[in-house]
Amino acid sequence: MRQALGQVRGAYALAAICRREPGRIVIAKSASPLVIGIGEGETLCGSDIPALLGSTREMIFLEDGEMAELTAERAPWQRNGPPRRGGRRSRDVLLTVADQRSIRP
């Protein structure tokens, strides 16, 4: 995925699945919204908070140039391009949403 992203220009939010690893989804973004949802025994991705509210209230927001590998148990992420020292890392949940009323339109 990292090699392919080196050729992509403009805004994107992508998700890729490989037949050989159906339990793994790789996602990446640049200038488009992409949210990771952390549920019980599942990790989700969507375009924004309301897209995931039916499944989880714990969310992580990818920043431009970041890529994440989603499995049911985890969502490590890294920046696109050459790996930084330390390689992959995990991120704390950045937002816990009480309900849809707490989201401003």
Side-chain angles (χ1 to χ4, degrees):
M1 175 93 130
R2 183 173 290 125
Q3 283 182 319
L5 290 175
Q7 299 176 20
V8 175
R9 301 290 177 253
Y12 61 84
L14 302 171
I17 301 170
C18 178
R19 282 186 186 164
R20 290 175 291 194
E21 297 181 76
R24 178 176 164 239
I25 301 171
V26 178
I27 62 173
K29 76 167 270 325
S30 179
S32 289
L34 189 56
V35 180
I36 298 172
I38 308 297
E40 290 188 33
E42 64 183 354
T43 306
L44 313 158
C45 64
S47 59
D48 55 19
I49 293 170
L52 301 177
L53 277 179
S55 299
T56 185
R57 300 287 190 261
E58 297 185 344
M59 317 236 176
I60 298 171
F61 299 90
L62 247 53
E63 295 179 12
D64 286 346
E66 289 187 329
M67 185 167 70
E69 175 185 314
L70 308 183
T71 66
E73 299 83 30
R74 60 188 175 84
W77 88 101
Q78 56 189 177
R79 293 199 54 79
N80 294 336
R84 293 182 174 179
R85 285 179 63 181
R88 293 184 180 190
R89 57 192 189 246
S90 62
R91 181 184 284 180
D92 292 332
V93 172
L94 298 179
L95 174 68
T96 300
V97 179
D99 60 38
Q100 196 158 5
R101 292 182 304 250
S102 64
I103 303 168
R104 294 183 184 152

